[in-house]
Amino acid sequence: MSIQTIRVLIVDDQEAFRSAARLVVELTEGFEVAAEAETGEDGVDKAMAIRPDLVLMDMNLPGIDGTEATRQIMTALPETRVIGLSTYEEFRSRALAAGAVAFISKSDFEPGLLAATWEQL
């Protein structure tokens, strides 16, 4: 039985965190980075174009924030899963209310937690 690769879109305005998130995804068995975006608008556009299995969404973005980007993605692509990411705990309830299936603090984000979170979905 073959295991499907989980295609991931990373949306974050900080290159340093996108690099770290890319490494986490690459180190997590069965996951691959399909695309990256710096803004909420670009994240929505790329999600529509590539239809990823998973979006790792920074909640604190310039332009449309991660909450609104999550809403737009979930409306258009209900089969896509979004995990909200932030250094700020107060974004947890906003992420979940917008349709994210989980919220992970950026400081806790690592391969084991990504895999465990996906398995619970």
Side-chain angles (χ1 to χ4, degrees):
M1 181 169 109
S2 67
I3 297 174
Q4 177 189 353
T5 299
I6 307 306
R7 297 173 58 248
V8 180
L9 168 61
I10 299 168
V11 184
D12 197 289
D13 61 321
Q14 297 177 5
E15 172 58 38
F17 187 79
R18 282 198 316 277
S19 294
R22 185 180 325 115
L23 184 61
V24 168
V25 171
E26 290 169 354
L27 290 173
T28 307
E29 186 175 345
F31 290 73
E32 71 177 15
V33 176
E36 296 179 23
E38 282 187 55
T39 66
E41 292 89 346
D42 192 31
V44 171
D45 290 345
K46 286 188 176 170
M48 300 309 161
I50 68 168
R51 305 177 76 83
D53 301 300
L54 176 62
V55 178
L56 298 174
M57 179 69 72
D58 179 23
M59 301 312 295
N60 191 18
L61 293 168
I64 67 167
D65 64 11
T67 303
E68 180 57 28
T70 297
R71 276 193 199 100
Q72 290 182 23
I73 292 168
M74 295 312 305
T75 298
L77 303 171
E79 70 282 0
T80 295
R81 301 291 176 248
V82 177
I83 295 177
L85 297 169
S86 182
T87 52
Y88 305 104
E89 183 62 30
E90 60 264 23
F91 282 106
R92 177 181 300 273
S93 61
R94 293 185 211 172
L96 299 175
V101 294
F103 177 90
I104 298 174
S105 171
K106 285 184 175 182
S107 62
D108 296 334
F109 188 61
E110 51 88 21
L113 185 56
L114 176 58
T117 302
W118 181 260
E119 287 174 14
Q120 294 174 5
L121 304 181

